[in-house]
Amino acid sequence: MGLAGIIAREEARFRDTHAKSVAEAGALEAHWLFGAPFHWMKDWAAPAAIVAARGEGATLTDIDGNTYDDFCLGDTPGMFGHARPEIARAVAAQAARGATFMLPTEEAAEVGALLAERFGLPFWQTTLSASDANRALIRWARAVTKKPVIVVFDGCYHGMVEDCFVELRHGRTRSDAGLVGQALDITRTTRAVPFNDIGALEAALAQGDVAAVLAEPAMTNCGMILPEENFWKRAQALAKKAGALLIIDETHTLSVGWAGAAKERGLTPDALVVGKAIAGGFPAAVWGVTSELAEKIAAVPRSSGRSGIGTTLSGNAMGIAAIGATLRELATPEAYETMTRNGFELGEALWAVIKKHDLPWCVIHQGARIEIVFASVPPKNAAEMRPALAQHELNHALHLYLINRGVLIAPFHMMMLVCPATTSAQIDRLVAAVDSFASAYSQESAT
């Protein structure tokens, strides 16, 4: 029966051990479109939504009492662990004084200084999400350069930003199928190029109409794709020569190091976006710019309250408090040392399982983030990654198998993230579950 047999058995097992979640799914469907407060919550491999009860550190418990080793961590917002008391204290204290004023608080000055010290950019703004931050910087880039086009890398994802929903097929940029309900032709103002392809990037910039290159230091949403040696050194030089701004999105790659992957790789971007984990799971993001870009932004004519950039809740007092607590107490050098060590341990152990079973898979690893890719060698761009991601049945089967053995990883592909609270015992359980699946998969494939 192959993978279909594994999936059928695992779905039955899930229903037996998740009776309350299965029942709750009916209540959710009564009033929530797609059966959940947000439709991504239904993208897990389980036959019904896992209904969360609580989380603590690297552990999550559902309403059936099932406990999971959590390597998803909210798809990164919980990168420093669930229910951190530092965040709870900071947010509760500010809530008691007032949640939002559309005025800065005294702590805002200190938080700005902390951001500047850590990331090396002097001027900052806050938003509610990385989507908002990326959208704002695209707009500012076009305003200051007087150029209409942005360049992104094929397979990218920068949040719910219309300009980035493109893909490269047969050498041409086209709208991504995920861009639902879009009336305008995004390909007129966005170009996609393959990651790690300096020649393609140079050609895209040569037309002289590019306002900005927007990219992750390493791609994380089309599977994890690492930059080749010297790629970013050359790419940064090309952008500068073309008069295009370099915007780096660290939303996922903050897991690489204390100041993110850009600093680790020697990048000096014009602008930086950090979302998700920057506020310890509280909804907030930040974007920062160089002094030169800040001066150009400030010179752009705009009406007060009518720039079309930002929302009323951006920079709310509770978000500022959460960002401050994260920078001071959670995202410490010691936390990153632990996370990096745990990430290396997990990556090496998964490689051992793959070699043991002689599977045509590989492991891609950077910092606290690890991914199993269903390809024999690490892909260098989205075109090479897509065949691995297209193995939907295998992806579904392994995810569901892990869920039933008390392990959660990011539901979209085989991405794993460790936090400071992740233990060696949790890593061992994840590796054992992958090993057990590999044995079952091999046996099913042989029948």
Side-chain angles (χ1 to χ4, degrees):
M1 294 180 66
L3 288 169
I6 294 176
I7 292 170
R9 290 196 299 270
E10 294 301 319
E11 286 186 345
R13 176 171 175 165
F14 180 92
R15 292 189 178 92
D16 287 343
T17 55
H18 294 77
K20 290 183 179 179
S21 283
V22 171
E24 189 69 13
L28 287 165
E29 289 170 359
H31 296 289
W32 289 107
L33 185 63
F34 304 112
F38 183 52
H39 63 89
W40 283 3
M41 295 176 177
K42 294 294 293 294
D43 283 351
W44 296 77
I50 301 168
V51 181
R54 62 188 180 277
E56 183 176 0
T59 302
L60 187 146
T61 304
D62 67 21
I63 60 172
D64 288 280
N66 298 302
T67 300
Y68 304 89
D69 298 317
D70 191 0
F71 292 87
C72 174
L73 298 168
D75 194 32
T76 298
M79 187 173 78
F80 301 110
H82 297 300
R84 289 295 299 254
E86 301 90 342
I87 299 296
R89 285 195 298 268
V91 170
Q94 185 57 58
R97 295 190 295 269
T100 185
F101 313 115
M102 211 176 81
L103 290 168
T105 57
E106 189 174 12
E107 186 175 12
E110 180 185 351
V111 170
L114 289 171
L115 289 166
E117 177 187 11
R118 180 170 299 224
F119 297 108
L121 293 170
F123 294 103
W124 292 83
Q125 288 280 272
T126 62
T127 63
L128 288 180
S129 70
S131 296
D132 290 339
N134 282 316
R135 187 179 286 113
L137 280 170
I138 289 170
R139 296 278 294 279
W140 285 122
R142 286 172 170 154
V144 302
T145 65
K146 305 291 194 294
K147 298 176 182 179
V149 175
I150 65 163
V151 171
V152 297
F153 290 105
D154 183 31
C156 73
Y157 179 75
H158 296 288
M160 197 178 68
V161 182
E162 294 84 351
D163 300 84
C164 301
F165 272 84
V166 295
E167 61 181 359
L168 190 65
R169 292 297 173 98
H170 307 296
R172 299 187 65 179
T173 302
R174 72 179 192 184
S175 293
D176 189 285
L179 191 56
V180 176
Q182 176 63 36
L184 302 178
D185 182 5
I186 296 301
T187 65
R188 295 177 60 187
T189 52
T190 303
R191 290 185 197 124
V193 299
F195 195 59
N196 283 317
D197 190 332
I198 285 293
L201 178 60
E202 186 172 21
L205 292 167
Q207 299 181 49
D209 56 357
V210 176
V213 176
L214 171 60
E216 295 181 286
M219 298 190 75
T220 63
N221 283 286
C222 184
M224 189 152 58
I225 305 172
L226 303 183
E228 295 181 329
E229 188 175 0
N230 292 325
F231 170 73
W232 273 119
K233 181 179 180 181
R234 298 171 68 189
Q236 184 169 268
L238 284 174
K240 185 174 182 179
K241 181 180 177 182
L245 300 174
L246 178 61
I247 304 171
I248 292 295
D249 183 352
E250 289 270 24
T251 298
H252 276 166
T253 55
L254 186 63
S255 60
V256 172
W258 182 80
K263 185 164 284 190
E264 291 278 329
R265 299 187 183 282
L267 280 166
T268 54
D270 298 287
L272 191 76
V273 168
V274 190
K276 292 194 177 183
I278 194 65
F282 194 85
V286 296
W287 57 269
V289 296
T290 62
S291 295
E292 181 182 2
L293 181 52
E295 289 180 9
K296 292 178 179 179
I297 288 173
V300 173
R302 64 183 179 90
S303 300
S304 179
R306 298 278 296 175
S307 68
I309 296 174
T311 60
T312 307
L313 288 171
S314 298
N316 69 80
M318 291 172 70
I320 291 292
I323 294 170
T326 300
L327 293 173
R328 288 189 298 265
E329 303 179 72
L330 270 61
T332 63
E334 294 77 16
Y336 273 99
E337 182 179 349
T338 299
M339 291 159 64
T340 301
R341 183 175 62 250
N342 287 342
F344 180 81
E345 179 184 344
L346 176 55
E348 290 296 294
L350 290 172
W351 262 121
V353 170
I354 289 170
K355 292 174 182 177
K356 171 184 173 181
H357 294 277
D358 194 26
L359 294 166
W361 305 350
C362 64
V363 175
I364 301 176
H365 163 234
Q366 59 166 1
R369 194 175 296 275
I370 306 94
E371 182 168 9
I372 296 173
V373 176
F374 301 135
S376 56
V377 296
K380 65 180 181 180
N381 56 46
E384 293 182 5
M385 182 66 81
R386 284 190 178 103
L389 297 179
Q391 299 183 55
H392 302 297
E393 193 176 36
L394 177 56
N395 187 76
H396 183 90
L398 180 47
H399 272 91
L400 179 54
Y401 194 94
L402 293 177
I403 288 170
N404 280 336
R405 280 137 192 94
V407 176
L408 298 181
I409 66 173
F412 310 110
H413 38 93
M414 302 308 301
M415 189 83 78
M416 292 152 258
L417 183 64
V418 298
C419 76
T422 303
T423 66
S424 291
Q426 289 178 303
I427 290 171
D428 289 345
R429 285 193 290 268
L430 188 160
V431 173
V434 174
D435 189 13
S436 175
F437 174 84
S439 296
Y441 175 53
S442 298
Q443 292 170 8
E444 289 284 349
S445 299
T447 58

